[in-house]
């Protein structure tokens, strides 16, 4: 690994040295004295002293507190890592090097300035474990710590007020994202909880910022009108034949109708020109169904659990809770599997993790594996990856990949290795590419009478237990990829003395980085260990990403028998050895492109989102004069827009308009005798009606607090409902522009133009919505003075 020391690295080393000089001083202090330092630091900060200046002392205090409270004395590399984090970098530290402890130093120092500081972990369990563990140190030193997620589903409701006002919060990426989106749907200042985005340490940063970055986080709200096309279309799609009616791309990730399939669809549904505007919806459903049936695979992309479809986390095989594919894809899969079709919902707000974490003043992270993707992290987030040496040298042996022609040969060979390992009674961890493959592998082991544990999506609750056994003498564990599990495999005495854990990857994953995560399960903290990868030309990553000649080559080889001597040697050639690596590289480039794409679109949405959220915040904090100004403006805009269209001046139109937007009990007879009226007169009539109606509404309210509340809620809710429609519209728009098949088509540019047009239209609607909601809502004043508002 590249251990080049650049200027930054040297600077951090220097600071580390300084910190170490401070340690003896704090060692001598009494508990009381040590605890008092927090107050002293806070005072110094108040006087204007920079955190950077206080760092060497503050770190010294935490180091001593870590020792007294946890009984752990941070190693030099941990202190260095802690400095790296403070300055907003990614610290690459191997598994088992003690990231949890490392975080205590920068967290403490950054939190001295108050709330808005987060440690983001990959799951709820880790947030709780870490907060309970090292949380003791912060508390002892006088800082407040909270956990932003429930411990389990039976846990009591969270008190977000307390959580987010704490100095330090341990939470997950999705909890933080959802709370951010929810905060921006609140109608009262007190219901907005997050106090700021000051400092964040993302644990397993790569799995959050890279692996999860392709799907934006979405808050779903009101159900949309249900479509019954899913089931209808599914039956038809199931009757189609490959290469006759539809075709798949080589990587099997895209599918499309062939001429014949289109014809069949037209006959089947009894329509002409199914591709025309008239049947747009039918055709869209057919395309979704085609993808659901022929691209998505049960047990690889999703699992069926109790008649429900759950997506799977590609990396660790876990069920993704509460995540659904958008745009009807989820419903198409439900139709395919014959389970109940769930509601499609409107998105009430969405954000990518990239844009969520970019809001932090200082973004930092820790992971065992980021160097391979350092360039992307630098470009997207402006953060550097800095590799740390391990506390003790790594003595694990990473064996060279072994590549086979077929999947079957490879698996049988890997099984031989398992058998050998068992003879020596060393613990073995076998990783497979998917949940279904782990089950197949488990069957193979059973047939060979090898007892083992299996770790995958369906046994998530037993995970911790199984991991705690996995390093013991003779243990055999089969797992789906191990990324982000964050639980480290500890060896027992026997295993440590007899060569440590043997990691066997039965399939290279989609990226080198993820393979490295698996290798890192062995040989932690200078322990012995071995890692092997078995690859074949039939592996998913190769099939989907290898250069074209591989396919032809495979075809040719199929004719040779498996014992053919010429075959055995073939794959030892360099060209084949590099294949996995090359495929991974291709895939990585595609992934980078996709993430960039997601981000490019979200950047456009983000500009609009920020404008809306900023407007919301202004309204939230505004006083009476502001509301009056907005309301006046709304009325003016509504009136002038209405009268500017000559057609509107017919009396019928005017009375309809009043009836629908200003006053339900408007007496339409009033205008009946007049045939047409002028602009000025119409405007006057509207003004009259609006002010009359305003008086009636406001008569319900007995004081200015109620009046302000009513006005604020109306303005906010009008803004929100339009933003929700806009955000949802933008999700649809994105898929429309991306699927357009025009020459010289620039989807992103088209998206930008149309998104801005949507936005302008939304603002025009806003004035009318505010007017309508102000004048046509029903108000109920409760005995305690609070108000319920029912919108028209
Ligand atoms: P990582 O997240 O880097 O894989 P953890 O934070 O889970 O590692 O720590 C791994 C183990 O190492 C834990 O059991 C922890 O208590 C131990 N550990 C961490 N730092 C030290 C230290 N300075 N001295 C002794 N043990 C440590």
């Amino acid at each position: 690994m590249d251990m080049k020391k650049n200027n930054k690295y040297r600077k951090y080393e220097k600071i580390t040295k300084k910190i170490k000089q401070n340690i003896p001083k704090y060692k001598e202090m009494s508990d009381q004295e040590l605890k008092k330092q927090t107050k002293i630091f806070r005072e110094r900060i108040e006087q204007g002293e920079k955190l950077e200046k206080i760092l060497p002392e503050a770190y010294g205090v935490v180091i001593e507190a870590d020792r007294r409270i946890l009984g752990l004395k941070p190693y030099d590399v941990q202190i260095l890592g802690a400095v790296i984090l403070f300055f907003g970098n990614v610290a690459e530290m191997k598994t088992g090097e003690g990231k949890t402890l490392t975080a205590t130093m920068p967290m403490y120092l950054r939190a001295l300035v108050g709330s808005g500081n987060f440690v983001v972990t990959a799951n709820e369990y880790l947030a709780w474990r870490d907060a309970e563990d090292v949380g003791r140190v912060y508390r002892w030193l006088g800082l407040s710590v909270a956990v932003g997620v429930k411990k389990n589903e039976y846990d009591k409701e969270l008190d977000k007020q307390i959580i987010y006002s704490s100095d330090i919060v341990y939470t997950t990426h999705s909890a933080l994202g959802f709370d951010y989106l929810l905060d921006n749907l609140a109608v009262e200042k007190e219901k907005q909880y997050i106090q700021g985005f000051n400092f964040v340490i993302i644990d397993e940063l790569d799995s959050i910022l890279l692996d999860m970055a392709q799907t934006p986080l979405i808050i779903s709200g009101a159900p949309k009108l249900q479509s019954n096309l899913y089931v209808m279309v599914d039956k038809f799609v199931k009757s189609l034949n490959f290469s006759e009616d539809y075709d798949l791309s080589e990587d099997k990730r895209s599918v499309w109708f062939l001429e014949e399939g289109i014809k069949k669809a037209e006959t089947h549904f009894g329509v002409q020109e199914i591709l025309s505007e008239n049947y747009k919806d039918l055709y869209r459903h057919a395309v979704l169904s085609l993808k659901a049936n022929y691209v998505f695979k049960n047990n690889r992309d999703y699992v069926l659990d109790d008649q429900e479809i759950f997506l799977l986390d590609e990396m660790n095989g876990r069920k993704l809770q509460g995540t659904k594919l958008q745009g009807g894809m989820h419903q198409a899969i439900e139709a395919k599997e014959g389970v109940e079709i769930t509601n499609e919902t409107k998105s009430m707000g969405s954000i990518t993790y990239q844009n969520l974490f970019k809001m932090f003043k200082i973004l930092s992270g820790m992971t065992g594996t980021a160097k391979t993707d350092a360039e992307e992290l630098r470009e997207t987030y402006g953060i550097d990856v800095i590799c740390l040496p391990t506390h003790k040298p790594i003595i694990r042996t990473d064996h060279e990949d072994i590549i086979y022609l077929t999947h079957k040969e490879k698996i049988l060979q890997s099984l031989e290795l398992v058998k050998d390992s068992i003879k020596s009674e060393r613990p073995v961890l076998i990783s497979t590419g998917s949940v279904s493959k782990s089950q197949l592998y488990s069957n193979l082991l059973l047939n060979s009478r090898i007892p083992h544990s299996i770790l995958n999506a369906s046994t998530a609750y037993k995970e911790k237990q199984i991991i705690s056994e996995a390093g013991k003498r003779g243990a055999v564990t089969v797992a789906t990829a191990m990324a982000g599990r964050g639980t480290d495999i500890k060896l027992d005495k026997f295993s440590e003395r007899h060569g440590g854990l043997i990691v066997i990857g039965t399939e290279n994953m989609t990226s080198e980085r993820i393979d490295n995560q698996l290798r890192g399960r062995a040989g932690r903290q200078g322990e012995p260990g071995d890692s092997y990868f078995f690859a074949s030309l039939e592996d998913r990553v190769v099939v989907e990403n290898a250069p074209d000649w591989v396919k032809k080559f495979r075809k040719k080889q199929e004719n040779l028998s498996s014992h053919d001597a010429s075959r055995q040697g073939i794959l030892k050639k360099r060209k084949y050895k590099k294949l996995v690596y090359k495929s991974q590289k291709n895939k990585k480039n595609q992934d980078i492109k996709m993430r960039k794409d997601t981000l490019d679109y979200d950047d456009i949405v983000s500009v609009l989102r920020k404008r809306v959220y900023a407007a919301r915040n202004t309204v939230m904090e505004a006083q009476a004069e502001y509301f009056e100004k907005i309301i006046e403006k709304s009325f003016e805009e509504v009136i002038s827009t209405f009268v500017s269209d000559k057609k509107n001046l017919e009396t019928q139109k005017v009375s309809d308009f009043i009836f629908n937007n200003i006053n339900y009990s408007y007496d339409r007879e009033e205008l009946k005798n007049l045939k047409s009226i002028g602009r000025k007169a119409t405007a006057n009539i509207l003004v009259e009606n609006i002010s009359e109606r305003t008086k009636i509404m406001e008569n319900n309210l007995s004081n200015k607090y109620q009046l302000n509340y009513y006005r604020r809620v109306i303005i906010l809710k009008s803004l929100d409902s339009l933003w929700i429609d806009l955000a949802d519209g933008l999700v649809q728009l994105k898929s429309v522009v991306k699927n357009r098949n025009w020459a010289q088509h620039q989807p992103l540019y088209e998206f930008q133009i149309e998104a801005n047009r949507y936005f302008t239209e939304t603002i025009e609607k806003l004035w009318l919505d505010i007017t309508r909601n102000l004048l046509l809502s029903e108000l109920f004043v409760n005995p305690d003075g609070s108000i319920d508002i029912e919108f028209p």
Side-chain angles (χ1 to χ4, degrees):
M1 184 144 302
D2 173 6
M3 225 38 113
K4 256 188 305 180
K5 294 189 177 181
N6 54 22
N7 287 341
K8 232 175 168 181
Y9 194 96
R10 277 199 213 96
K11 172 181 163 192
Y12 300 153
E13 276 185 322
K14 240 190 236 156
I15 297 176
T16 304
K17 226 182 243 161
K18 246 199 220 148
I19 297 167
K20 288 178 65 188
Q21 285 161 0
N22 284 323
I23 296 176
K25 177 168 100 195
Y26 296 111
K27 214 167 179 169
E28 273 163 29
M29 284 188 179
S30 69
D31 282 0
Q32 280 316 316
E33 257 179 304
L34 196 60
K35 285 184 187 184
K36 224 174 67 194
Q37 301 307 309
T38 301
K39 197 160 158 268
I40 296 173
F41 291 144
R42 283 192 151 161
E43 278 162 11
R44 282 168 60 184
I45 292 166
E46 217 143 87
Q47 307 283 312
E49 225 179 301
K50 291 260 172 326
L51 289 186
E52 195 173 333
K53 183 115 181 296
I54 296 177
L55 190 150
E57 294 161 82
Y59 274 38
V61 167
V62 181
I63 289 168
E64 182 54 20
D66 281 340
R67 198 183 62 82
R68 290 190 197 178
I69 306 302
L70 306 173
L72 300 174
K73 187 173 171 306
Y75 306 128
D76 290 0
V77 283
Q78 286 175 316
I79 302 173
L80 179 58
V83 175
I84 290 174
L85 292 174
F86 173 85
F87 287 99
N89 302 287
V90 180
E92 180 171 299
M93 296 172 78
K94 304 284 168 233
T95 312
E97 287 292 301
K99 296 185 201 72
T100 317
L101 187 67
T102 303
T104 56
M105 294 164 256
M107 263 350 263
Y108 169 80
L109 179 54
R110 287 284 178 198
L112 286 174
V113 299
S115 51
N117 305 291
F118 299 86
V119 177
V120 168
T121 61
N123 62 48
E124 288 81 6
Y125 163 74
L126 292 172
W128 272 96
R129 187 198 69 180
D130 291 356
E132 282 182 345
D133 193 15
V134 298
R136 289 181 289 152
V137 176
Y138 306 125
R139 282 199 195 96
W140 191 80
L141 286 171
L143 298 188
S144 51
V145 193
V147 188
V149 288
K150 285 187 182 180
K151 202 166 196 169
N152 53 50
E153 54 188 305
Y154 313 109
D155 206 7
K156 61 179 191 305
E157 278 308 307
L158 297 169
D159 185 338
K160 292 193 194 168
Q161 173 64 36
I162 293 183
I163 292 169
Y164 288 109
S165 57
S166 301
D167 298 320
I168 299 168
V169 180
Y170 278 76
T171 189
T172 65
H173 50 295
S174 56
L176 183 63
F178 276 127
D179 283 345
Y180 170 69
L181 292 174
L182 284 176
D183 269 6
N184 284 296
L185 289 169
V187 288
E188 284 166 283
K189 195 90 193 108
E190 306 78 60
K191 296 269 163 63
Q192 285 193 311
Y193 301 108
I194 299 175
Q195 310 274 314
F197 291 89
N198 184 43
F199 177 58
V200 64
I201 301 179
I202 307 179
D203 195 8
E204 310 282 359
L205 168 128
D206 52 335
S207 53
I208 292 171
L209 290 192
L210 300 176
D211 303 337
M212 300 198 188
Q214 277 155 19
T215 21
L217 194 63
I218 292 176
I219 286 207
S220 307
K224 286 188 194 176
L225 222 53
Q226 187 71 275
S227 155
N228 57 6
L229 285 175
Y230 292 109
V231 177
M232 214 169 98
V233 156
D234 182 71
K235 287 208 186 84
F236 163 70
V237 165
K238 285 208 163 83
S239 73
L240 298 177
N241 299 320
F242 173 62
S243 92
E244 187 181 309
D245 303 322
Y246 69 90
D247 205 359
L248 284 162
S249 64
E250 192 174 343
D251 66 8
K252 300 202 169 61
R253 262 187 242 147
S254 316
V255 60
W256 56 88
F257 279 108
L258 295 171
E259 201 58 47
E260 194 55 35
I262 297 280
K263 272 197 214 135
K264 274 193 192 163
E266 288 172 346
T267 319
H268 183 94
F269 297 111
V271 304
Q272 277 171 354
E273 305 206 27
I274 194 169
L275 299 178
S276 69
E277 188 68 19
N278 282 346
Y279 302 109
K280 202 173 75 183
D281 217 31
L282 175 63
Y283 184 66
R284 186 174 69 90
H285 280 79
V287 171
L288 287 170
S289 175
L290 202 58
K291 207 165 169 195
N293 275 287
Y294 304 117
V295 173
F296 282 89
K297 292 220 152 53
N298 192 354
N299 275 333
R300 184 190 74 189
D301 304 305
Y302 61 88
V303 285
L304 250 178
D305 189 3
D306 200 15
Q307 295 293 300
E308 224 182 301
I309 304 281
F310 288 95
L311 296 180
L312 285 181
D313 184 326
E314 192 188 341
M315 301 307 155
N316 61 18
R318 281 210 186 117
K319 280 195 299 195
L320 284 171
Q321 296 289 349
T323 314
K324 280 187 176 185
L325 292 163
Q326 291 295 304
M329 198 64 239
H330 209 87
Q331 286 70 20
I333 295 175
E334 288 169 334
K336 166 192 174 187
E337 296 294 345
V339 302
E340 197 179 326
I341 313 280
T342 56
N343 276 327
E344 266 185 90
T345 50
K346 258 189 202 170
S347 139
M348 301 187 54
S350 88
I351 190 169
T352 53
Y353 287 118
Q354 290 106 316
N355 274 325
L356 177 69
F357 287 111
K358 274 183 172 178
M359 289 195 297
F360 278 92
K361 273 196 227 137
I362 306 130
L363 166 63
S364 73
M366 314 183 274
T367 168
T369 43
K371 200 68 199 172
T372 47
D373 296 74
E375 205 180 311
E376 185 182 356
L377 291 170
R378 150 112 244 127
E379 251 174 44
T380 315
Y381 301 96
I383 43 178
D384 284 330
V385 177
I386 301 179
C387 289
L388 282 164
T390 47
H391 173 57
K392 291 181 190 156
I394 300 177
I395 59 166
R396 177 188 70 230
T397 315
D398 294 327
H399 299 265
E400 208 179 318
D401 289 5
I402 314 169
I403 186 156
Y404 295 88
L405 207 53
T406 66
H407 184 255
K408 194 170 157 200
E409 285 168 88
K410 160 189 99 164
I411 292 296
L412 291 178
Q413 283 305 316
S414 72
L415 193 62
E416 289 308 309
L417 178 62
V418 175
K419 288 179 186 162
D420 283 349
S421 317
I422 287 173
K423 275 184 209 136
S424 63
E425 292 188 83
R426 283 170 65 185
V428 185
L429 175 72
I430 302 154
S431 166
T432 62
S434 69
V435 179
S436 56
K437 281 183 194 154
S438 75
Q439 264 140 14
L440 287 175
Y441 211 96
S442 167
N443 289 343
L444 278 179
L445 292 172
L446 278 178
N447 287 340
S448 308
R449 297 179 184 284
I450 301 172
H452 61 277
S453 306
I454 173 164
L455 194 63
N456 62 31
S458 19
T459 60
Y461 68 100
K462 283 203 296 192
E463 182 167 311
K464 203 183 129 208
Q465 167 79 23
I466 293 175
I467 295 239
S468 71
E469 305 281 328
K472 297 202 167 139
R473 178 178 183 167
V476 178
T477 311
V478 182
T480 356
M482 295 288 291
R485 292 192 186 263
T487 10
D488 104 292
I489 297 178
K490 290 188 179 150
L491 300 178
D492 64 11
K493 278 252 157 42
F494 174 91
S495 311
E496 205 179 333
R497 258 189 266 124
H498 291 81
L501 181 71
I502 299 176
V503 166
I504 301 177
T506 62
E507 178 168 348
N508 291 80
M509 298 311 289
T510 48
S511 88
E512 193 192 352
R513 177 169 50 79
I514 293 164
D515 287 347
N516 286 341
Q517 285 173 356
L518 179 66
R519 288 190 203 280
R521 296 290 151 176
R524 53 183 279 287
Q525 295 183 341
E527 287 168 349
D530 290 87
S531 78
Y532 298 85
F533 269 94
F534 287 82
S536 87
L537 297 191
E538 292 176 347
D539 286 2
R540 188 170 172 209
V541 63
V542 178
V543 172
E544 290 179 357
N545 306 289
D548 289 342
W549 61 263
V550 176
K551 197 173 167 189
K552 289 188 204 117
F553 173 77
R554 276 208 333 257
K555 278 245 162 71
K556 230 164 73 192
Q557 295 304 310
E558 272 167 20
N559 304 323
L560 299 176
S561 87
S562 59
H563 299 293
D564 198 319
S566 65
R567 219 180 119 142
Q568 310 295 327
I570 284 175
L571 299 177
K572 294 232 169 75
K573 285 194 197 147
R574 222 179 122 71
K575 178 161 139 187
Y576 302 103
K577 287 229 144 109
K578 287 237 148 161
L579 251 186
V580 171
Y581 177 71
K582 271 220 183 101
S583 306
Q584 287 179 332
K585 214 162 148 200
N586 283 345
K587 170 81 166 100
K588 177 165 141 183
N589 289 336
Q590 275 174 34
D591 283 352
I592 291 177
K593 247 209 236 126
M594 263 170 76
R595 285 195 285 267
K596 173 112 190 3
D597 195 58
T598 307
L599 191 59
D600 284 344
Y601 282 93
D602 194 51
D603 278 345
I604 293 172
V605 179
S606 178
V607 174
L608 307 181
R609 182 193 305 119
K610 279 188 189 144
R611 281 173 69 178
V612 173
Y613 285 180
R616 277 195 112 259
N617 285 336
T618 312
V619 176
M620 201 89 88
E621 283 164 38
Q623 304 297 324
E625 302 96 84
Y626 179 85
F627 296 138
E628 262 154 38
K629 231 171 66 199
I630 290 284
I631 291 168
E632 200 175 308
K633 166 107 177 146
S634 306
F635 293 162
E636 273 171 23
E637 288 282 336
V638 165
I639 294 170
S640 74
T641 310
F642 183 78
V643 301
S644 71
D645 186 349
K646 218 166 168 204
K647 282 191 236 118
N648 282 339
L649 301 182
E650 284 169 33
T651 47
Q652 180 64 37
K653 289 258 167 65
V654 177
S655 64
D656 280 357
F657 185 76
I658 297 176
F659 181 76
N660 289 324
N661 298 293
I662 299 171
N663 187 359
Y664 286 144
S665 43
Y666 178 66
D667 180 4
R668 293 180 189 226
E669 297 300 312
E670 250 173 57
L671 281 170
K672 211 156 190 187
N673 300 328
L674 299 164
K675 187 148 190 312
S676 153
I677 36 180
R679 280 212 163 94
K680 193 100 197 260
T682 306
N684 283 338
I685 292 170
L686 295 180
V687 170
E688 242 170 63
N689 275 282
I690 287 174
S691 57
E692 199 178 304
R693 185 67 200 153
T694 303
K695 262 191 223 121
I696 296 176
M697 291 299 288
E698 292 180 359
N699 268 343
N700 290 315
L701 307 165
S702 52
N703 59 50
K704 67 174 196 287
Y705 299 106
Q706 290 183 340
L707 181 65
N708 278 340
Y709 177 80
Y710 149 75
R711 289 173 164 179
R712 189 176 67 237
V713 171
I714 295 282
I715 296 170
L716 281 177
K717 281 294 165 193
S718 308
L719 189 59
D720 286 348
S721 75
L722 286 177
W723 167 242
I724 288 166
D725 284 347
L726 178 63
D728 194 55
L730 292 174
V731 172
Q732 312 278 339
L733 177 64
K734 181 173 159 186
S735 73
V736 172
V737 299
K738 289 181 89 169
N739 286 330
R740 274 182 193 154
N741 239 336
W742 301 339
Q744 268 116 41
H745 155 61
Q746 290 176 295
L748 192 67
Y749 177 72
E750 288 161 25
F751 183 79
Q752 167 96 64
I753 300 286
E754 287 182 49
N756 286 339
R757 188 170 55 80
Y758 278 27
F759 191 72
T760 314
E761 284 172 8
T762 299
I763 305 264
E764 279 167 20
K765 270 194 235 143
L766 179 64
W767 306 123
L768 185 60
D769 272 18
I770 291 178
T771 303
R772 262 194 94 203
N773 290 336
L774 273 172
L775 303 178
L776 295 181
S777 289
E778 284 201 60
L779 298 184
F780 306 94
V781 180
N782 299 315
D784 66 357
S786 66
I787 307 171
D788 292 334
I789 302 172
E790 205 167 278
F791 288 82

